[in-house]
Amino acid sequence: MVLQTVSCSYLDRFYQSNVDHSLFTKTTGTMFTAILIYVDDIFVTGNDLPTITALKNHLGTAFDILSDAGQLGSRPAYFPMERHLKLNDSDGTPLVDPAFYCRLIGHLIFLTISSPDITYTVNLLIQFMHAPHEPHQQAALQLLQYLKTTPGYGLFFSSAYSFQLSAYCDSDWASCFMTRRSTTGFVVKLGDSPISWHTKKQSTVSRSSTEAEYHAIANTSCEIKWLQFILRDC
């Protein structure tokens, strides 16, 4: 089965795998490109840079978040969120069309897979999807303006072989004004390359900043142990 959804010449002749129907491959001489689709996530890899670039450009044209949100002409923003911004579920006017906000946050959730710099902001905005208000939408649009300003930001995966895991974690004590729960954040690196990151509100209320830090360390340790098991299978 030939992948028919794109017409770009670089993307002709992709074939569907008989073993895994979500895998599409293209081989031209020594050049190889693979597209793996998992639900609504798409992973592209290979050694054929023109094909990979063409595919990314096509997806950027067909699925442009800025265009969908009407932010193509928006002003630049240099931070994902305004400093000291405190959002809660009661400030401002409820949105007339909450579906727009929910759709936008859904797009942003998938961007966190490759953009750890927006993870904290997206995690905060997710908490208001049940009843979004005007300040929440303004914060989401600010995040889009930041993404428009920083299209070249991405992850760097070093070609140097190193299986040494290192991790950094932190917590924001009682940062949620609605529940007084703290927020955990961590990033795990394999060698010099980040391979896992996470931002989430803690499940219990910490009575001190020290307790919040211990929760963050515990969550990070669990992630490291899980990654160690995966690496042993590689």
Side-chain angles (χ1 to χ4, degrees):
M1 175 181 177
V2 180
L3 185 60
Q4 300 286 354
T5 56
V6 290
S7 59
C8 176
S9 60
Y10 280 126
L11 304 178
D12 294 340
R13 310 294 297 175
F14 270 90
Y15 288 93
Q16 186 179 36
S17 168
N18 292 324
V19 179
D20 186 343
H21 292 174
S22 62
L23 175 63
F24 297 83
T25 60
K26 175 184 177 181
T27 303
T28 305
T30 59
M31 310 304 288
F32 174 78
T33 308
I35 303 173
L36 181 63
I37 302 173
Y38 178 74
V39 189
D40 46 9
D41 291 336
I42 301 176
F43 300 91
V44 184
T45 188
N47 61 358
D48 189 355
L49 185 58
T51 297
I52 293 175
T53 302
L55 176 61
K56 291 171 63 176
N57 290 339
H58 173 78
L59 293 176
T61 302
F63 307 101
D64 192 322
I65 300 177
L66 290 171
S67 177
D68 184 61
Q71 296 294 307
L72 285 175
S74 60
R75 61 181 178 84
Y78 300 97
F79 300 96
M81 187 176 67
E82 293 292 341
R83 292 187 63 187
H84 309 302
L85 178 64
K86 304 298 182 183
L87 296 175
N88 58 58
D89 55 4
S90 59
D91 284 349
T93 305
L95 294 179
V96 176
D97 180 20
F100 169 80
Y101 179 85
C102 294
R103 183 172 67 252
L104 174 58
I105 300 305
H107 293 324
L108 292 172
I109 289 173
F110 290 106
L111 275 183
T112 61
I113 296 173
S114 58
S115 302
D117 51 325
I118 68 171
T119 303
Y120 174 80
T121 305
V122 173
N123 172 261
L124 180 62
L125 296 175
I126 288 172
Q127 301 175 35
F128 306 105
M129 291 182 68
H130 64 288
H133 287 57
E134 188 62 32
H136 310 141
Q137 180 160 294
Q138 290 303 316
L141 295 179
Q142 153 110 14
L143 183 53
L144 285 183
Q145 294 165 5
Y146 168 78
L147 292 170
K148 180 183 178 182
T149 309
T150 57
Y153 283 16
L155 298 174
F156 174 75
F157 294 99
S158 174
S159 60
Y161 290 97
S162 173
F163 289 94
Q164 180 66 43
L165 285 174
S166 59
Y168 305 86
C169 68
D170 200 359
S171 66
D172 190 355
W173 182 43
S175 58
C176 179
F177 283 89
M178 297 172 290
T179 64
R180 307 311 299 180
R181 286 190 284 171
S182 307
T183 300
T184 290
F186 67 73
V187 59
V188 183
K189 301 173 69 176
L190 182 64
D192 294 327
S193 305
I195 59 171
S196 178
W197 49 88
H198 183 75
T199 299
K200 187 177 182 180
K201 191 186 300 183
Q202 295 180 0
S203 58
T204 59
V205 177
S206 298
R207 297 184 179 182
S208 67
S209 59
T210 301
E211 183 179 345
E213 295 287 0
Y214 274 121
H215 281 297
I217 293 173
N219 291 335
T220 308
S221 299
C222 290
E223 183 72 8
I224 293 174
K225 180 58 68 175
W226 176 69
L227 290 171
Q228 286 177 333
F229 288 140
I230 292 179
L231 291 174
R232 288 170 185 168
D233 291 335
C234 294

